[in-house]
Amino acid sequence: MTTPALLPLSGRRIPPLNLGPPSFPHHRATLRLSEKFILLLILSAFITLCFGAFFFLPDSSKHKRFDLGLEDVLIPHVDAGKGAKNPGVFLIHGPDEHRHREEEERLRNKIRADHEKALEEAKEKLRKSREEIRAEIQTEKNKVVQEMKIKENKPLPPVPIPNLVGISGGDPEDSDIREKREKIKEMMKHAWDNYRTYGWGHNELRPIARKGHSPNIFGSSQMGATIVDALDTLYIMGLHAEFLDGQRWIEDNLDFSVIFKIKAVQLAEKLLPAFNTPTGIPWAMVNLKSGVGRNWGWASAGSSILAEFGTLHMEFMHLSYLTGDLIYYKKVMHIRKLLQKMDRPNGLYPNYLNPRTGRWGQYHTSVGGLGDSFYEYLLKAWLMSDKTDHEARKMYDDAIEAIEKHLIKKSRGGLVFIGEWKNGHLEKKMGHLACFAGGMFALGADGSRTDKAGHYLELGAEIARTCHESYDRTALKLGPESFKFDGAVEAVAVRQAEKYYILRPEVIETYWYLWRFTHDPRYRQWGWEAALAIEKYCRVSGGFSGVKDVYSSTPTHDDVQQSFFLAETLKYLYLLFSGDDLLPLDHWVFNTEAHPLPVLHLANTTLSGNPAVR
């Protein structure tokens, strides 16, 4: 059995607290509503990423990783160490370069020896009888259970809780916009109520068959992915009764004991051994019975995927912030340092990296599936740090300059699109997943190099227009999974296998960002067109379903209500028709699954030592 932990195949697939009804008064004996909400968001963002293609690994001391060192990197609120330049900031000093190279060489030799030793131990294991192996596995399970019980009883330290801004409200003044927002809320309630009735506890819903659905990426049928994914959307929409239902299920059923802050930490501790590879780049999955980790065989000879190992920074950074433990932060910073040292063909990051050798796999670069959220998280690491993580901003700027030079083109019909670089040539095809980039370019416009803010805002608008055309050129006014720009064919899917729509959010996500930054009414108009199309062609009596062919006026449903439909698509639609005071972007950063995390303003925190946090 494999059990998933972090990140979807694309990086863009894919919350809970002791929160009383909103009418309850605040008492200092318990957490304030806002304090509970921030813990909800942190856990929501973190656990949601756990329902993808990055799987739990058992601990192993047999693998070592290269320690690249962390030079002058900052994390707020952790006790200041010696040499800290600013109060309230922990400063980490890395080794000098010469000693660093010697250490790397020593570790490489040690890794080779450990690898050979591990192979011999594996052979020895295989010589044992089935009964002996089962007895060893049971012994290890018992040991883990005892360790977890000890950790559950260990209180976590008090943490600074950001003062939250704009976690409710956003009521539009215009009656027409208010009516549209209420319609989106009704769609959310329809999706949730049917999941509650027919799929409760399962990861997703089959709305036509009216039963639970658990695709392979989730690993277990009872992890409640839709519940975890939907909670913050329910909260933001003011559906508090539904929120409390989901909260109770997580408390009673999700297989991480104690309440939410502890659950997030325990989940993280289970994930940490995934990084015990020769390079520190994590594996994708593991068999929990045998303890053997591996990557997907189709991923360039078993490589790790850029959008998986590159989409951890926000969640791990918040865990270090939440716990005061730098281990999570160091893991993601190690990945960053490793990537910085590697050569990149044409300045582009290939989608595949071998975790054993530290070498790139196939030279395939995409801003869509397999690569997408890596670039998103470089930008958002900078934003989440209150624009102090200049290293992340530089990596983002370097990356998008290479992307613009090599991947972004204009079609004969004047549509700007993002192609894919494969083995030395550009494939003129753009995926629905890549449509998020319009919003990313707009979000990153402020702070861009050489006063190019206007340029990147316009680039974001051009991508939004292209993706809208991919919707508008179909029979259903819903976009295909990918679309071509070859000859007379523009923004249209050619292959049957690319004509489906599975309730994806990326186009609507870009509409929302462009609306926030420009207030151009076309983005609300385009969003409403998409909402009406979803309502007309995807709504069924038992929820919402994807469709198999957006070019057919009589589409066939795929009978899956994706968890990200509740987490992202409906959330972005709701925000599109809300005021800017709901989750303002100078206080919030959305992770790749649309779960908002607060910007870590150092001056905008309150220290809560209340035991209820734990």
Side-chain angles (χ1 to χ4, degrees):
M1 164 184 175
T2 55
T3 304
L6 279 178
L7 297 186
L9 295 179
S10 69
R12 297 186 59 80
R13 239 214 76 93
I14 69 174
L17 298 171
N18 184 18
L19 182 64
S23 60
F24 281 14
H26 299 303
H27 298 291
R28 292 309 303 160
T30 60
L31 281 177
R32 294 199 310 268
L33 182 64
S34 62
E35 292 171 340
K36 293 174 179 178
F37 185 67
I38 185 55
L39 293 179
L40 157 69
L41 294 176
I42 291 171
L43 184 65
S44 173
F46 191 69
I47 292 185
T48 298
L49 285 176
C50 298
F51 297 120
F54 175 63
F55 289 71
F56 291 140
L57 253 128
D59 198 1
S60 169
S61 61
K62 301 302 178 186
H63 299 96
K64 304 294 182 183
R65 66 177 179 84
F66 300 123
D67 185 2
L68 298 177
L70 303 176
E71 303 176 12
D72 295 338
V73 291
L74 306 177
I75 180 169
H77 98 267
V78 179
D79 292 340
K82 293 182 179 179
K85 298 176 183 177
N86 300 299
V89 173
F90 189 92
L91 184 60
I92 306 168
H93 296 281
D96 61 69
E97 193 64 27
H98 177 71
R99 181 160 57 87
H100 167 66
R101 287 196 298 269
E102 289 183 344
E103 179 67 10
E104 278 193 355
E105 184 60 30
R106 185 188 69 79
L107 284 174
R108 286 191 188 97
N109 294 333
K110 183 69 166 58
I111 289 164
R112 293 188 190 101
D114 284 347
H115 182 64
E116 292 176 1
K117 183 179 178 182
L119 286 175
E120 288 301 318
E121 290 180 354
K123 291 178 183 178
E124 182 63 29
K125 291 278 187 186
L126 292 175
R127 296 189 188 103
K128 295 183 178 182
S129 68
R130 180 177 297 182
E131 290 70 23
E132 288 175 313
I133 293 175
R134 284 177 174 171
E136 288 186 5
I137 291 173
Q138 190 59 50
T139 299
E140 290 301 316
K141 284 183 177 180
N142 293 339
K143 187 186 299 183
V144 170
V145 170
Q146 291 303 315
E147 289 175 356
M148 292 304 295
K149 286 182 178 179
I150 294 172
K151 289 176 181 178
E152 287 170 13
N153 295 324
K154 181 181 178 181
L156 291 172
V159 299
I161 301 295
N163 297 323
L164 304 183
V165 177
I167 60 175
S168 61
D171 297 325
E173 295 181 1
D174 183 273
S175 60
D176 178 61
I177 300 300
R178 188 163 56 248
E179 184 177 332
K180 289 173 178 174
R181 188 172 87 146
E182 284 301 307
K183 176 57 184 177
I184 304 303
K185 183 175 178 178
E186 186 276 330
M187 292 169 69
M188 177 67 181
K189 187 164 172 51
H190 178 71
W192 174 264
D193 287 349
N194 280 283
Y195 169 78
R196 179 72 176 84
T197 301
Y198 303 114
W200 194 239
H202 289 268
N203 292 314
E204 292 176 333
L205 170 69
R206 288 197 177 277
I208 297 174
R210 299 192 179 189
K211 64 181 182 180
H213 173 57
S214 294
N216 291 337
I217 62 166
F218 294 106
S220 171
S221 63
Q222 294 291 333
M223 294 189 73
T226 291
I227 300 173
V228 175
D229 242 353
L231 276 189
D232 57 358
T233 306
L234 294 169
Y235 186 94
I236 292 164
M237 290 184 178
L239 295 171
H240 292 288
E242 291 81 356
F243 174 91
L244 291 173
D245 273 349
Q247 172 201 336
R248 283 188 288 268
W249 185 91
I250 288 175
E251 288 177 336
D252 295 340
N253 297 281
L254 192 61
D255 193 19
F256 308 111
S257 52
V258 198
I259 59 175
F260 305 121
K261 179 178 170 183
I262 294 287
K263 288 185 182 190
V265 175
Q266 289 178 346
L267 173 56
E269 288 174 346
K270 289 187 177 184
L271 296 176
L272 288 178
F275 294 82
N276 292 343
T277 65
T279 59
I281 298 296
W283 297 109
M285 53 188 165
V286 69
N287 186 297
L288 291 182
K289 292 183 179 180
S290 67
V292 177
R294 66 181 178 90
N295 279 337
W296 300 105
W298 54 261
S300 188
S303 292
S304 295
I305 297 171
L306 182 66
E308 293 181 0
F309 66 78
T311 311
L312 301 170
H313 189 96
M314 292 176 67
E315 292 75 21
F316 273 53
M317 177 66 179
H318 264 279
L319 273 172
S320 282
Y321 185 89
L322 182 70
T323 64
D325 189 342
L326 288 170
I327 184 62
Y328 313 110
Y329 178 64
K330 288 181 178 179
K331 293 295 186 185
V332 291
M333 288 303 296
H334 175 83
I335 294 174
R336 180 190 291 184
K337 295 293 184 180
L338 179 64
L339 291 175
Q340 284 181 314
K341 290 177 177 289
M342 298 185 66
D343 291 330
R344 296 183 294 279
N346 295 320
L348 299 170
Y349 289 89
N351 290 337
Y352 303 107
L353 179 62
N354 191 302
R356 294 185 180 91
T357 66
R359 296 187 179 94
W360 297 118
Q362 176 189 2
Y363 280 4
H364 173 203
T365 297
S366 169
V367 181
L370 305 177
D372 45 17
S373 49
F374 166 71
Y375 307 101
E376 174 189 5
Y377 268 41
L378 292 177
L379 172 63
K380 291 181 176 180
W382 175 68
L383 292 169
M384 195 181 70
S385 72
D386 201 14
K387 301 181 180 180
T388 62
D389 188 349
H390 303 297
E391 182 179 72
R393 179 73 211 206
K394 180 182 183 304
M395 291 178 70
Y396 170 77
D397 288 335
D398 290 344
I400 63 170
E401 285 180 6
I403 287 168
E404 188 169 12
K405 181 178 180 180
H406 297 286
L407 303 187
I408 297 180
K409 304 296 178 182
K410 181 175 284 190
S411 72
R412 292 178 182 177
L415 295 178
V416 175
F417 67 94
I418 309 174
E420 297 187 12
W421 191 264
K422 287 187 176 181
N423 298 319
H425 74 277
L426 183 71
E427 185 176 8
K428 296 179 179 180
K429 180 178 75 171
M430 184 172 177
H432 193 291
L433 289 164
C435 286
F436 91 97
M440 180 181 72
F441 291 137
L443 183 64
D446 184 28
S448 57
R449 290 174 179 165
T450 61
D451 196 28
K452 294 181 73 174
H455 167 73
Y456 283 114
L457 191 61
E458 179 59 29
L459 179 59
E462 289 289 343
I463 296 298
R465 184 169 78 92
T466 297
C467 293
H468 173 258
E469 285 298 313
S470 77
Y471 274 52
D472 200 47
R473 298 180 184 191
T474 71
L476 305 187
K477 304 304 179 184
L478 293 170
E481 183 68 3
S482 60
F483 38 95
K484 293 272 192 176
F485 294 87
D486 284 337
V489 176
E490 294 197 358
V492 173
V494 176
R495 297 172 58 239
Q496 187 63 40
E498 297 172 341
K499 294 181 179 180
Y500 61 88
Y501 173 72
I502 56 172
L503 306 172
R504 286 204 185 276
E506 290 78 19
V507 174
I508 295 167
E509 173 184 355
T510 278
Y511 293 165
W512 174 62
Y513 278 112
L514 266 296
W515 163 256
R516 277 286 176 101
F517 289 114
T518 69
H519 279 198
D520 187 328
R522 80 177 72 181
Y523 299 114
R524 278 183 165 172
Q525 176 188 337
W526 291 351
W528 185 242
E529 290 172 1
L532 290 178
I534 292 170
E535 174 76 3
K536 181 175 182 179
Y537 295 108
C538 300
R539 183 167 180 152
V540 295
S541 60
F544 288 87
S545 168
V547 293
K548 295 182 179 180
D549 187 347
V550 294
Y551 298 96
S552 170
S553 58
T554 56
T556 302
H557 292 102
D558 65 13
D559 196 19
V560 178
Q561 180 175 284
Q562 305 277 352
S563 72
F564 57 70
F565 178 64
L566 292 81
E568 303 181 67
T569 310
L570 292 174
K571 183 184 289 142
Y572 284 128
L573 279 170
Y574 187 79
L575 291 171
L576 181 61
F577 297 106
S578 297
D580 292 358
D581 57 329
L582 180 60
L583 299 176
L585 290 174
D586 53 343
H587 290 275
W588 296 94
V589 183
F590 287 71
N591 83 340
T592 192
E593 308 300 329
H595 298 300
L597 292 170
V599 173
L600 298 179
H601 302 287
L602 288 180
N604 186 29
T605 59
T606 58
L607 186 63
S608 172
N610 195 301
V613 175
R614 307 181 186 104

